[in-house]
Amino acid sequence: MTVTIVGAQLGDEGKGGIVDLYGEPADIVARYQGGDNAGHTVVHDDVEYKLSLVPSGVVRGKTGVLGNGCVVNPRTLFEEIDALQERGLDPDVRVARRAHIIFPYHRRLDGIEEEAKSEDDQEVGTTGRGIGPTYEDKAGRRGVRAGDLANPDILKERLEYAVPQKRALAEDVFGVEAGEAFDIEALYEEYREYGNRLEREGMLVNAGDFIASALDDGKKVVFEGAQGTIIDIDHGNYPYVTSSNPTAGGAATGTGISPGVVGGGEVIGIVKAYLSRVGSGPMPTELAGVEGDTPGYEGEAGEQEEELAEFIREEGGEYGTVTGRPRRVGYLDMPILRHATRASGFTGLAVNHVDTLAGLEELKICHSYTLDGDELQTVPATTEQWANCEPNYRRFDGWENIDWEAAASEGYDALPENARIYLDYVSDELDTPVYAVGVGPSREETIVVEHPFE
Ligand code: GDP
Ligand code: IMO
Ligand code: MG
């Protein structure tokens, strides 16, 4: 049986923690898209693990698979594996032979294009990991796949074809110096070594066959989504998106397991009890703003709104893990969640950060939007329309801080009544049961209503 974990909003909903919780009885945790643009947090025995590429399950000794839908930077992969080994773990990670490889020139081009776009305030605010350029080469049929790293002749041939084009793009189109990231010989030597290590350590697999045979043997598989629905390349707010499909369909195409199997299992939508966003693009329920990220924002929000945004940021730790920059935050948005529920077919919800909101007198949830005099229940298809949506709010009474860990062991009814009213509204609107409620970062601070594997 499979359980698929999908970000219902804009990423950073707390997927890693839920993969850790629900992955306990699983044998395999497979990622199906994205690369080291992800940052998934797992807290185990008071130790925090921040994983960008290695699937979250490996912290608990599960086999981790990077499916064909992923883009893999071998430098990051081995750095992360080596760092986990230094911390006393023995990570078992397999990489799909069909997964595409991120090269230094992809990262460089990611930065070059963002820089060029920034001249007209059009930058996406990418993570700079080369994700978009690598998926471009995949679609353009000039990519290098993990399986190619183990075949020196093919690796050489592919680099000799692709790299001169990339160099010309950097130099002749963008007018920048290409540099060593475009040196075919150096790339070949370094990446051949990665190919050797992948082979030597038995890491390369045909992911579809590998996972299917585990399922045939009655094993349990978690598909771990990265990013979230509103930054999905198809269903998100294009062009302020990542270049893959975090929605549930991606779990099938990104692993080689049929949509029937994915849909026949459980699909859990991970929801943050408010919203956070990294990077640019619209956000109708945003509180105050972050200069440089919020389009057109120049610090003009009212004091009350700034205070609330500050409160949520402080309580929820909404600061970039690498840069320390404040994340954009906002009220929960039901049109986003209706859109996500339709696109992925959630069978259950995990709502995180309910503790973060404790102590506020009142809260609001955006029930619908008004656009050009019409009421909308879901997200419009163009980003420009979305930016013009006015939220229609419902008001909710706030709840107090309690002993969250005690509540987690007692169950859903131990939550403050107003928190239950808030959660019940979300569940009713989406016609989807709440399976879990996050009341703190660790597994022990999660209320489990349903366990999808039980
Ligand atoms: P992911 O990318 O979806 O896996 O989420 P991240 O790990 O990027 O961000 C979630 C952050 O919130 C991490 O620091 C988690 O430890 C933390 N977190 C997750 N769930 C909860 C929760 O219910 N309450 C609180 N206070 N923190 C949480
Ligand atoms: P997890 O898995 C939040 C955002 C970037 C940018 C856009 C495109 O931790 O939830 P990219 O580098 O992917 O081309 O950037 O997507 N983004 C994320 N935001 N959480 C993530 O991952 C993200 N991965 C990418 O900020 O706006
Ligand atoms: Mg994250």
Side-chain angles (χ1 to χ4, degrees):
M1 183 204 165
T2 69
V3 172
T4 303
I5 300 295
V6 177
Q9 295 149 324
L10 291 137
D12 300 331
E13 298 92 347
K15 297 175 291 293
I18 300 295
V19 168
D20 182 50
L21 171 77
Y22 285 156
E24 172 76 62
D27 303 281
I28 292 177
V29 176
R31 276 195 48 188
Y32 54 88
Q33 43 71 235
D36 57 343
N37 49 348
H40 295 181
T41 315
V42 176
V43 181
H44 177 31
D45 286 344
D46 288 332
V47 181
E48 190 180 74
Y49 296 88
K50 293 251 174 221
L51 304 166
S52 66
L53 191 53
V54 166
S56 297
V58 302
V59 169
R60 307 257 183 185
K62 315 294 172 193
T63 297
V65 176
L66 296 172
N68 56 277
C70 294
V71 285
V72 178
N73 183 331
R75 281 187 187 169
T76 317
L77 176 66
F78 289 126
E79 265 169 32
E80 213 162 88
I81 289 175
D82 293 347
L84 289 172
Q85 277 170 348
E86 273 165 33
R87 292 173 79 171
L89 300 178
D90 184 18
D92 176 12
V93 181
R94 314 298 173 97
V95 180
R97 284 195 177 84
R98 290 184 165 94
H100 279 251
I101 296 297
I102 301 179
F103 283 88
Y105 54 85
H106 292 122
R107 282 179 77 124
R108 182 90 175 90
L109 285 166
D110 194 351
I112 291 171
E113 179 137 20
E114 282 283 278
E115 182 70 34
K117 282 184 169 174
S118 75
E119 285 169 20
D120 308 311
D121 280 338
Q122 288 195 55
E123 72 269 34
V124 175
T126 72
T127 60
R129 301 290 196 275
I131 305 296
T134 307
Y135 279 115
E136 272 180 53
D137 280 353
K138 171 180 176 175
R141 295 164 298 205
R142 69 183 83 82
V144 177
R145 305 199 294 178
D148 301 335
L149 297 185
N151 184 331
D153 292 340
I154 296 289
L155 172 62
K156 191 70 171 271
E157 196 178 295
R158 298 240 191 280
L159 288 173
E160 280 173 349
Y161 178 74
V163 178
Q165 291 185 25
K166 301 287 130 181
R167 173 184 283 277
L169 182 62
E171 291 179 342
D172 302 341
V173 177
F174 289 105
V176 300
E177 201 184 316
E180 62 187 27
F182 298 76
D183 180 334
I184 295 176
E185 212 39 58
L187 291 170
Y188 171 74
E189 290 303 331
E190 181 182 349
Y191 281 71
R192 208 170 58 122
E193 262 319 302
Y194 295 136
N196 285 341
R197 182 164 171 190
L198 286 167
E199 275 224 303
R200 200 170 56 242
E201 299 187 11
M203 291 171 70
L204 290 173
V205 291
N206 177 339
D209 285 348
F210 184 79
I211 297 170
S213 74
L215 287 169
D216 286 346
D217 291 344
K219 293 195 170 148
K220 299 181 171 73
V221 176
V222 174
F223 292 126
E224 175 178 11
Q227 289 82 49
T229 304
I230 298 298
I231 51 176
D232 180 293
I233 183 117
D234 286 283
H235 305 292
N237 67 128
Y238 192 91
Y240 301 104
V241 292
T242 192
S243 302
S244 65
N245 290 121
T247 44
T253 52
T255 60
I257 298 301
S258 85
V261 171
V262 174
E266 298 257 16
V267 181
I268 319 285
I270 314 303
V271 177
K272 196 175 253 187
Y274 48 93
L275 281 190
S276 69
R277 172 159 211 169
V278 185
S280 191
M283 187 171 171
T285 67
E286 182 166 18
L287 283 158
V290 172
E291 275 187 70
D293 284 341
T294 305
Y297 180 74
E298 288 168 4
E300 71 270 18
E303 197 177 321
Q304 236 185 336
E305 217 179 290
E306 291 282 1
E307 261 176 36
L308 182 53
E310 205 50 38
F311 174 89
I312 293 177
R313 244 178 236 129
E314 289 303 319
E315 297 296 318
E318 299 296 350
Y319 291 89
T321 37
V322 182
T323 58
R325 270 174 19 140
R327 290 187 186 142
R328 301 166 66 189
V329 295
Y331 289 118
L332 193 64
D333 182 315
M334 292 311 294
I336 288 182
L337 294 181
R338 290 190 195 100
H339 176 67
T341 304
R342 190 207 64 246
S344 289
F346 297 144
T347 56
L349 304 170
V351 186
N352 284 323
H353 282 273
V354 165
D355 57 312
T356 301
L357 298 176
L360 293 169
E361 213 142 278
E362 70 159 37
L363 278 157
K364 291 197 281 189
I365 298 182
C366 168
H367 176 77
S368 61
Y369 301 138
T370 297
L371 179 67
D372 300 331
D374 294 327
E375 188 181 6
L376 303 188
Q377 298 293 321
T378 185
V379 180
T382 78
T383 296
E384 291 68 31
Q385 284 179 322
W386 196 38
N388 288 330
C389 283
E390 282 299 324
N392 300 315
Y393 286 111
R394 296 257 171 114
R395 216 196 118 273
F396 291 81
D397 286 331
W399 52 88
E400 66 285 3
N401 259 303
I402 58 168
D403 180 342
W404 297 108
E405 207 168 322
S409 57
E410 280 168 50
Y412 192 78
D413 289 342
L415 279 170
E417 188 188 356
N418 288 339
R420 276 183 278 129
I421 292 171
Y422 189 89
L423 294 168
D424 290 347
Y425 161 80
V426 174
S427 173
D428 289 347
E429 284 296 318
L430 303 179
D431 198 16
T432 308
V434 172
Y435 275 15
V437 183
V439 294
S442 74
R443 192 195 269 194
E444 294 69 34
E445 293 161 310
T446 310
I447 296 173
V448 181
V449 183
E450 284 286 336
H451 201 305
F453 279 126
E454 281 164 9

